[in-house]
């Protein structure tokens, strides 16, 4: 449970207790943002102005994520899962082989969740009058629509089958007994709600906070519809999760949780305008209408701790939750769907759904394209905007080695596949909500068949030596150029530009690649003039959020059929005036000056060591005019 988790973190030197008073509105976020950016400790805020301490950033490094799941490394879980799959799926030719399987089947049965009688520890205290304002619910970023519950484990069930779903969806608090319920159209809980609507019934919902940290992870895991998340928790813990019946709703929750919020959603009720919210993309997700959740009871442990997380510009705690999913779910993807996959990486800068790298065991021409399209058809992988396929001995966990390999084996003209399909609801750069362009890059070694139709020959990757001031005098809209990667064998450069006319980026791209200086460059990524393109991680983050790769791409043939083909990708903000873009564009996330100053002044009182500068100090310079919506 949470008390044991806190004790485990404490003994491992992974926890800092903040004993001075802190404000859940903005102050906790600013402190945590500084700590998470340097992969610092978990934080326990003991004085929050309520009866409940706040635990945050508890899974904020790879080590703590592994600790939360009870393993030494995240790959250990995948190895266990692979061994189980092989044992269950291998041919059983003799009676002896089948008998040997019985103990394993018994173990699997022992992982299934169990409803126990009586009340659980989570129901030791029952609030006489349920009141969410008694909890230290965070307001994370200045333009947020209000305080949000950010680490809720939300329980719903199918009214026809009774099958449980456990998910994690933010909850904006509108009053003591009212929140929004932010489940997107693709989510299982949204489907459950539609079933209740057909039946003309209210939908029971229960929210668990705290308890075993595996619950929070399992609520985010991309399990197939109908697979109980608590079975995954049982597999991780090698013991069953014990559930108890709620007091006011017909639904069950973990007995060892810290806080339970019971209530219902009325599917026939008008939705409520929820948001904005500073989201995991590093941008605000903008207001939209979502179901209302009505609270009917709140129960908690006697010494309950309120768990929270913040999301925002990476890296944050959610990066390591995503890393766990990457390592765990690689195994079922390999064993049941795409057996040629060797490894997979979801880079932190790609915020899960914008960028995926897949390493394959290549055996025939066109295989990388086949794998990418298979993954675009697989569960939550369908939201991936950009996918890169590689093979060979390259270590895809080494960003520079990976980038060199891609640069060597990728020809923009012949190795880029475009398609369109569903994208994440938070993808703000597509022209319409939740649907946009996708791009696949085949950076595998090419077979003779794949090379047979190509006119260009390969060239060694050469450093670019460009006089920036001379370039600016010729193209005054250019603000900066970063060609640093070209000196280490990576044919990619970043350019920052102040756009001032329709079609500007593609026009500029054509002009630059017509000059001798750019002839040996494969890939040019263009960002807006406010972005610090000398920070490559930030540049990748901004680009991957701001591009619709099918719409915002320019391909250029080698001029002499013996040179290098080129690709220009427009990662700038899109506007109606310059791009015909008709959706609102969100702002990036940054704390207010007064919050930064407050935390600077109080830093020594927090007991967190030497002063860490605010990450927001940098990003405030990049904010667009306006609030959550850029003007």
């Amino acid at each position: 449970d949470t008390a044991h988790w806190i004790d485990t973190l404490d003994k491992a030197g992974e926890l800092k207790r903040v004993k001075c008073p802190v404000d859940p509105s903005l102050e906790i976020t600013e402190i945590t943002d500084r700590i998470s950016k340097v992969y610092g400790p978990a934080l326990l805020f003991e004085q929050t102005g309520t009866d409940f301490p706040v635990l945050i950033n508890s899974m904020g490094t790879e080590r703590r994520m592994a600790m939360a799941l009870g393993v030494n490394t995240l790959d250990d879980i995948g190895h266990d899962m692979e061994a189980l799959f092989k044992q269950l799926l291998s041919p059983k030719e003799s009676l002896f082989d089948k008998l040997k399987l019985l103990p394993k089947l018994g173990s699997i049965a022992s992982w299934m969740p169990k409803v126990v009688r009586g009340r659980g520890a989570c129901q030791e205290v029952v609030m006489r009058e349920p009141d969410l304002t008694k909890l230290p619910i965070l307001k994370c970023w200045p333009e947020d629509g209000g305080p949000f519950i950010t680490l809720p484990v939300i329980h719903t069930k199918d009214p026809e089958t009774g099958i449980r779903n456990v998910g994690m969806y933010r909850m904006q608090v509108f009053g003591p007994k009212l929140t929004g319920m932010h489940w997107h159209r693709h989510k299982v809980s949204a489907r459950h709600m539609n079933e209740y609507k057909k039946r003309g019934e209210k939908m029971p919902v229960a929210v668990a906070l705290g308890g075993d940290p595996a619950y929070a992870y399992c609520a985010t895991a991309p399990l197939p519809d109908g697979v109980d998340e608590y079975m995954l928790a049982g597999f991780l813990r090698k013991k069953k999760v014990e559930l108890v019946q709620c007091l006011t709703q017909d639904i069950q929750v973990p007995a060892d949780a810290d806080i339970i919020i019971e209530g219902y959603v009325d599917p026939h009720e008008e939705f409520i305008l929820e948001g904005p919210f500073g989201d995991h993309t590093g941008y605000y997700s903008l207001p939209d209408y979502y179901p209302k959740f009505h609270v009917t009871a709140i129960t908690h442990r006697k010494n309950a701790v309120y768990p929270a997380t913040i999301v925002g510009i990476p890296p944050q705690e959610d990066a390591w939750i995503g890393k766990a999913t990457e390592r765990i779910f690689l195994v079922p993807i390999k064993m049941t769907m795409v057996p040629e996959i060797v490894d997979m990486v979801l880079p932190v800068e790609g915020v899960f759904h914008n960028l995926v790298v897949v390493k394959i065991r290549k055996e025939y021409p066109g295989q990388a394209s086949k794998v990418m399209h298979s993954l675009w058809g697989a569960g939550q992988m369908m939201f991936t905007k950009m996918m890169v396929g590689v093979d060979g001995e390259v270590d895809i966990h080494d960003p520079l080695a990976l980038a060199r390999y891609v640069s060597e084996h990728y020809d923009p003209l012949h190795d880029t596949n475009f398609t369109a399909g569903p994208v994440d609801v938070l993808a703000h750069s597509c022209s319409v909500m939740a649907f946009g362009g996708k791009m696949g890059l085949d950076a595998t070694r090419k077979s003779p068949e794949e090379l047979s139709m190509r006119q260009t020959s390969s060239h060694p990757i050469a450093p670019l030596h460009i006089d920036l001031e001379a370039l600016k005098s010729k193209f005054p809209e250019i603000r900066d150029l970063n060609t640093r990667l070209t000196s280490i064998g990576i044919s990619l450069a970043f350019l920052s530009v102040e756009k001032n006319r329709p079609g500007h980026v593609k026009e500029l791209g054509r002009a630059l690649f017509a000059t001798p200086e750019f002839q040996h460059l494969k890939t040019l990524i263009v960002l807006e003039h406010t972005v610090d393109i000398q920070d490559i991680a930030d540049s990748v983050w901004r680009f991957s959020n701001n591009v619709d790769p099918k719409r915002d791409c320019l391909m250029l043939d080698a001029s002499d059929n013996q040179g290098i083909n080129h690709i220009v990708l427009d990662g700038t903000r899109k506007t109606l005036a310059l791009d015909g873009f008709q959706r609102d564009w969100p702002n990036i996330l940054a704390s207010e000056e007064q919050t930064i100053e407050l935390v600077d002044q109080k830093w020594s009182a927090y007991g967190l060591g030497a002063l860490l500068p605010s990450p927001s100090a940098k990003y405030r310079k990049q904010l667009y005019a306006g609030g959550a919506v850029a003007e």
Side-chain angles (χ1 to χ4, degrees):
D1 58 21
T2 303
H4 181 260
W5 176 224
I6 289 170
D7 187 54
T8 301
L9 291 168
D10 217 352
K11 289 177 179 176
E14 291 282 348
L15 178 78
K16 290 287 187 182
R17 298 173 183 269
V18 177
K19 298 184 180 297
C20 69
V22 293
D23 191 339
S25 179
L26 302 179
E27 184 182 355
I28 286 180
T29 293
E30 174 61 18
I31 299 166
T32 307
D33 193 33
R34 299 186 191 202
I35 293 292
S36 64
K37 290 290 191 291
V38 297
Y39 309 110
L43 301 173
L44 183 66
F45 294 99
E46 297 183 346
Q47 294 192 55
T48 62
T50 72
D51 293 336
F52 303 91
V54 168
L55 177 67
I56 198 167
N57 202 38
S58 72
M59 295 177 281
T61 64
E62 189 163 2
R63 182 192 182 203
R64 291 202 297 279
M65 191 70 238
M67 289 170 62
L69 301 182
V71 292
N72 292 319
T73 73
L74 295 176
D75 283 318
D76 291 347
I77 301 168
H79 297 327
D80 285 353
M81 194 176 287
E82 187 168 14
L84 175 63
F85 271 49
K86 287 180 177 177
Q87 197 167 0
L88 294 177
L89 300 178
S90 62
K92 309 295 183 295
E93 297 183 1
S94 69
L95 177 61
F96 183 68
D97 287 338
K98 294 173 183 176
L99 290 173
K100 285 197 300 184
L101 192 60
L102 290 177
K104 182 57 66 177
L105 294 175
S107 296
I108 293 172
S110 73
W111 305 336
M112 300 298 290
K114 177 186 178 183
V115 179
V116 297
R117 292 182 178 181
R119 291 193 178 183
C122 63
Q123 297 164 326
E124 289 175 336
V125 179
V126 180
M127 277 194 188
R128 289 187 178 180
E129 187 65 24
D131 186 350
L132 293 168
T133 65
K134 302 292 186 184
L135 303 177
I137 299 171
L138 306 189
K139 180 178 179 182
C140 299
W141 300 102
E143 301 298 331
D144 281 359
F148 282 83
I149 302 172
T150 55
L151 209 59
V153 177
I154 297 174
H155 303 70
T156 64
K157 63 180 179 179
D158 188 307
E160 294 289 337
T161 65
I163 294 175
R164 172 175 38 247
N165 182 70
V166 182
M168 185 171 289
Y169 322 103
R170 74 190 193 218
M171 300 167 64
Q172 182 177 344
V173 176
F174 292 98
K177 296 183 182 180
L178 180 65
T179 81
M181 192 60 79
H182 188 91
W183 47 54
H184 296 159
R185 67 183 77 176
H186 307 103
K187 301 302 184 181
V188 175
S189 293
R191 180 175 61 76
H192 286 177
M193 185 185 69
N194 291 332
E195 293 300 319
Y196 281 95
K197 186 172 184 177
K198 292 175 188 175
R199 296 162 65 101
E201 298 175 3
K202 292 179 180 178
M203 176 179 178
V205 181
V207 181
L209 298 169
D212 189 332
Y215 303 156
Y217 171 70
C218 292
T220 72
L223 290 171
D225 193 358
V227 176
D228 194 327
E229 284 76 10
Y230 288 132
M231 185 177 176
L232 174 59
F235 167 76
L236 293 171
R237 287 284 178 258
K238 303 299 184 282
K239 66 176 184 179
K240 63 185 63 184
V241 176
E242 293 191 342
L243 306 170
V244 292
Q245 183 68 29
C246 285
L247 304 184
T248 62
Q249 300 294 331
D250 183 18
I251 206 159
Q252 297 82 39
V253 290
D256 60 353
D258 281 60
I259 301 166
I260 301 296
I261 306 169
E262 302 178 16
Y264 66 88
V265 168
D266 184 346
H268 293 90
E269 190 176 21
E270 284 190 9
F271 286 7
I272 194 166
L273 185 63
E274 185 258 21
F277 175 71
D279 227 311
H280 74 269
T281 58
Y283 290 74
Y284 286 99
S285 55
L286 299 181
D288 205 350
Y289 288 90
Y290 285 93
K292 295 175 182 175
F293 172 67
H294 299 273
V295 177
T296 56
I298 299 176
T299 68
H300 61 84
R301 284 175 172 267
K302 289 179 180 176
N303 297 305
V305 174
Y306 178 85
T309 191
I310 63 165
V311 290
I313 296 171
Q316 301 281 12
E317 182 175 17
D318 63 324
W320 306 108
I321 296 173
K323 181 60 67 175
T325 293
E326 171 197 298
R327 305 322 302 159
I328 294 171
F329 285 87
L330 173 63
V331 170
I333 288 173
K334 284 197 302 183
M335 298 196 71
T336 64
M337 227 178 60
V338 194
E340 56 264 64
I341 288 181
V342 175
D343 204 353
M344 183 169 63
V345 168
L346 283 69
V348 170
E349 295 79 12
V351 297
F352 310 128
H353 50 79
N354 285 334
L355 179 61
V356 172
V357 180
V358 183
K359 182 177 177 179
I360 68 170
R361 189 179 301 104
K362 186 173 178 178
E363 297 170 341
Y364 53 84
Q367 192 172 5
S369 179
K370 174 259 182 187
V371 168
M372 289 187 279
H373 283 87
S374 295
L375 290 175
W376 274 321
Q380 293 189 35
M381 294 294 287
M382 69 177 175
F383 298 129
T384 306
K385 269 204 299 191
M386 293 176 285
M387 207 173 291
V388 181
V390 298
D391 63 348
E393 300 303 316
V394 62
D395 178 4
I396 63 173
H397 301 277
D398 179 338
L400 290 180
L402 171 65
R404 277 192 290 267
Y405 193 90
V406 171
S407 187
E408 180 181 355
H409 297 287
Y410 168 63
D411 180 324
L413 187 63
H414 299 99
D415 298 330
T416 309
N417 298 298
F418 293 104
T419 186
V423 296
D424 195 280
V425 171
L426 301 181
H428 60 257
S429 60
C430 49
S431 298
V432 294
M433 185 176 181
F435 180 80
K438 299 167 182 283
M439 179 171 71
L441 275 61
D442 180 356
T444 60
R445 290 190 179 93
K446 302 305 180 295
S447 66
E449 296 91 338
E450 290 168 319
L451 293 172
S452 63
M453 301 300 292
R454 305 191 181 188
Q455 301 299 318
T456 56
S457 56
S458 62
H459 289 262
I461 293 165
L464 260 65
H465 301 292
I466 296 175
D467 184 333
L468 180 58
E469 294 309 314
L471 191 67
K472 286 181 178 180
S473 66
K474 188 173 182 180
F475 302 101
E477 62 268 47
I478 290 176
R479 294 293 174 268
D480 199 6
L481 175 68
N482 183 350
T483 62
R484 196 163 69 245
L485 293 176
T486 65
S487 64
I488 55 173
I490 301 166
S491 192
L492 182 151
F494 295 93
L495 184 76
S496 61
V497 172
E498 187 167 8
K499 295 195 302 187
N500 58 36
R501 57 189 180 274
H504 191 165
V505 170
K506 291 182 179 179
E507 175 192 314
L508 179 61
R510 289 189 183 93
L512 291 175
F513 280 113
T515 66
E517 295 91 339
F518 281 82
Q519 281 296 301
H520 295 289
L521 180 70
K522 286 185 180 180
T523 304
L524 180 65
I525 292 176
V526 182
L527 297 168
E528 56 214 56
H529 63 287
T530 57
V531 176
D532 175 13
I533 61 171
Q534 300 306 319
D535 185 329
I536 291 175
D538 260 15
S539 297
V540 174
W541 160 63
R542 292 296 291 270
F543 155 70
S544 67
N545 272 292
N546 289 356
V547 70
D548 179 311
K550 186 175 183 181
R551 182 196 64 210
D552 299 331
C553 173
L554 172 67
M555 311 287 290
L556 296 168
D557 293 10
S559 57
D560 58 1
N561 283 338
Q562 293 298 314
I564 292 175
N565 295 315
H566 316 293
I567 183 170
V568 181
L569 290 159
D570 179 0
T572 63
R573 173 193 171 186
K574 309 306 184 296
T575 65
L576 180 62
L578 300 183
D579 307 280
F581 190 80
Q582 299 191 24
R583 297 177 65 199
D584 286 335
W585 194 271
N587 229 323
I588 64 171
L589 307 182
S591 293
E592 294 173 321
E593 290 285 2
Q594 62 194 50
T595 305
I596 296 171
E597 292 171 3
L598 171 71
V599 171
D600 282 347
Q601 292 165 5
K602 290 180 63 176
W603 191 263
S604 60
Y606 300 140
L608 298 174
L611 176 66
L612 295 173
S614 173
S616 291
K618 170 182 178 178
Y619 295 114
R620 286 196 62 78
K621 300 172 185 175
Q622 300 180 24
L623 286 171
Y624 306 113
V629 178
E631 291 179 356

